[in-house]
Amino acid sequence: MKAIIFDLGNVLIPYDHPRTVAAVAALCGCDVKRVDDLFHTISHEFGTGQLEASDLCAQVLTKCNAPPQITCDEFYDAYCAGMGRSDAPLAYAAELQGRSGVTVGVISNTNAVHVAWLDEHVPELAALDLVMMSNEVELLKPDPEIFRLALSLLEVTPAQALFVDDQQVNVDAAAALGIHALLHRSWDETRPAIEAWLAE
C-alpha cells in the first residue's frame, strides 16, 4: 500500500487569504491591516479548535467596531471569500483513490468556518480515505504529531507515504519523519512527480 497525503489550500483547492481579509475588512468597515493582524493573533486557537466560530465572529466585529446590524452569518460568508474550487486536482485525487494499492488523505490547517464551506462546496473530499482538519484533531502542521496521526489512521509507514504541500516548512517536517515529501508549485510538476513515486 502507498499513501498520498495532500495539503488542501492551494494544492487541491485554491485559497486567497488576502481576498478573505479584504472581504471581512469591507464588511466591518475596518482597516485591512487591522483585520489581518486580528486573524494572525487568533490563528492558532481557531486552527486547533480552541476558539468557536461564534467567538471569532464576536471578537472581530467588536475589535473592528463593526456596525451592530452585521450578523455572524454575514461574517462567515466574508470569511470564506477566499475559498474556491479547482475541479482538476480534486478529480485527480479521486482517481488516485480508486487505484489498487493506493490510499489518499488530506491534512489541512483550517478552521470550523472553512470546514463548513468545504462540506457544502467540495463533496469530493468525503470519498477520500482520510480528511484530517486541524481544528478537529487539535493539531497544526508542521507539528510532527499530525503526520504521525495521519500515518496511523492510514495504516502506512513513513516510507509508504508521500506528502504534498505548498509550504516548505510543512514539507520539511514530513521529510524529517521519513515521509517522502514534495513541494507543490504547479500541477505540471506535481502530477508527474506523484506518478514517478508511485511507479518506484
Side-chain angles (χ1 to χ4, degrees):
M1 178 67 69
K2 284 190 170 184
I4 303 166
I5 306 170
F6 292 105
D7 173 38
L8 192 54
N10 293 323
V11 177
L12 289 184
I13 67 164
Y15 176 64
D16 186 340
H17 181 70
R19 183 176 180 184
T20 290
V21 173
V24 171
L27 175 71
C28 297
C30 193
D31 179 73
V32 167
K33 185 178 186 307
R34 178 162 178 74
V35 172
D36 200 31
D37 288 345
L38 285 172
F39 285 176
H40 180 73
T41 300
I42 57 84
S43 63
H44 186 273
E45 281 185 292
F46 199 34
T48 54
Q50 299 172 60
L51 183 69
E52 297 290 335
S54 58
D55 293 329
L56 171 72
C57 171
Q59 283 191 31
V60 174
L61 295 183
T62 297
K63 291 180 179 179
C64 283
N65 296 313
Q69 67 269 22
I70 293 175
T71 67
C72 279
D73 283 343
E74 291 173 314
F75 171 79
Y76 299 150
D77 285 344
Y79 194 77
C80 291
M83 305 289 284
R85 280 187 55 89
S86 187
D87 290 345
L90 291 168
Y92 180 54
E95 188 268 320
L96 288 169
Q97 178 68 77
R99 295 188 195 183
S100 177
V102 177
T103 183
V104 178
V106 164
I107 302 176
S108 180
N109 285 357
T110 189
N111 55 73
V113 176
H114 286 171
V115 168
W117 187 95
L118 290 164
D119 287 345
E120 180 178 355
H121 297 280
V122 192
E124 293 94 335
L125 295 177
L128 304 182
D129 281 338
L130 176 69
V131 178
M132 184 178 291
M133 304 302 196
S134 64
N135 61 299
E136 296 172 356
V137 298
E138 301 181 352
L139 294 166
L140 285 164
K141 296 175 295 183
D143 187 331
E145 289 307 314
I146 199 168
F147 297 106
R148 292 190 180 104
L149 179 58
L151 294 175
S152 175
L153 292 172
L154 289 170
E155 299 182 340
V156 293
T157 66
Q160 292 174 297
L162 172 67
F163 175 65
V164 183
D165 198 293
D166 66 320
Q167 299 293 318
Q168 188 67 56
V169 63
N170 298 330
V171 170
D172 291 344
L177 296 174
I179 299 169
H180 300 271
L182 177 63
L183 180 65
H184 174 75
R185 297 184 183 89
S186 75
W187 278 101
D188 288 341
E189 295 178 2
T190 296
R191 185 165 181 160
I194 291 172
E195 295 298 332
W197 180 75
L198 287 172
E200 291 178 356

